[in-house]
Every structure is written in structure tokens, then in C-alpha cells.
Amino acid sequence: QVQLVESGGGLVQAGGSLRLSCAASGSTSSRYSMGWFRQAPGEEHELVAAISKIGDTIYYKASVKGRFTISRDNAKNTLYLQMDSLKPEDTAVYYCAASAAMLSVEKGRYAYWGQGTQVTVSS
């Protein structure tokens, strides 16, 4: 089992940047592929980016490709999401999640979730 704690959210103006971190504990994070999801008010969770166990395969939602970068440091048991050129439509609670699958875009394959961190982008 793994516990996940996100940090790095906040309020930023459109065009700005934020870096989210997700610290894993309780189990070696390299056993899991990882993903960043977000949920805007009244919306379902959507997968923003995912990375395989050793970081050799990455998925991005089309609307964030070229603006967001997912990475992981297994030695530090930490997952990152660098978000650049932020837009108001990126406003949401961002969650990191862990999956035993090699890499998955399905929410149901992620068994472990953090508590979320709020990202607000003002126009």
C-alpha cells in the first residue's frame, strides 16, 4: 500500500507556471505507474498525464501537451507535474494517483489517491 501527498498548488495568473509534487510513502513508488488527475467543479475526474514505473512511457491529455511535463524521481519517491502557460480552464483540484498497471488511462485502474491540491488560474 502507498500513501500519496500532493503539494505545490496555488493561485496564478494566466500564462504563469506551477510545479506540483506528490510524495509517496509506505511502499516503493517504483512499483507503481503514476498519474495526475484533475477535477473541476461539477465535472468528473480527468487524467491529465501518466508515467510508467520507470518513466519510459508517458501519456498527456491533448489539451495540456506541450504545456505540462510529468516526471518522477524514484530515488526520492516523488512525482512531479510542471505546468507552464497555464490557462483559466486548467483551474481544478489536482490529484496524484498510483496504479499497479504498467501505464493506464483508466481511472478505475488507480487504486491509491492523494487528497488533492487546488490550482486556480485567474484571467
Side-chain angles (χ1 to χ4, degrees):
Q1 192 168 357
V2 60
Q3 292 79 45
L4 304 171
V5 179
E6 303 94 337
S7 61
L11 173 65
V12 64
Q13 288 188 329
S17 297
L18 283 173
R19 188 193 196 201
L20 305 184
S21 298
C22 173
S25 62
S27 181
T28 304
S29 64
S30 61
R31 296 178 59 187
Y32 303 94
S33 62
M34 303 291 293
W36 285 102
F37 288 79
R38 67 187 181 189
Q39 186 177 30
E43 302 290 332
E44 296 289 327
H45 287 88
E46 61 176 4
L47 179 64
V48 174
I51 188 167
S52 59
K53 297 178 183 182
I54 61 172
D56 58 340
T57 304
I58 287 175
Y59 163 86
Y60 291 107
K61 178 180 172 62
S63 62
V64 307
K65 198 172 293 185
R67 300 189 297 121
F68 290 11
T69 303
I70 188 172
S71 61
R72 65 190 300 166
D73 185 337
N74 286 340
K76 296 182 179 179
N77 281 340
T78 303
L79 175 73
Y80 303 99
L81 185 67
Q82 177 67 41
M83 304 187 294
D84 299 317
S85 302
L86 282 160
K87 303 176 181 180
E89 51 263 43
D90 295 318
T91 294
V93 178
Y94 283 70
Y95 299 86
C96 69
S99 170
M102 292 300 293
L103 181 73
S104 180
V105 298
E106 299 176 19
K107 178 185 172 183
R109 299 295 300 273
Y110 289 82
Y112 306 104
W113 293 76
Q115 83 289 348
T117 186
Q118 176 71 46
V119 171
T120 303
V121 185
S122 64
S123 57

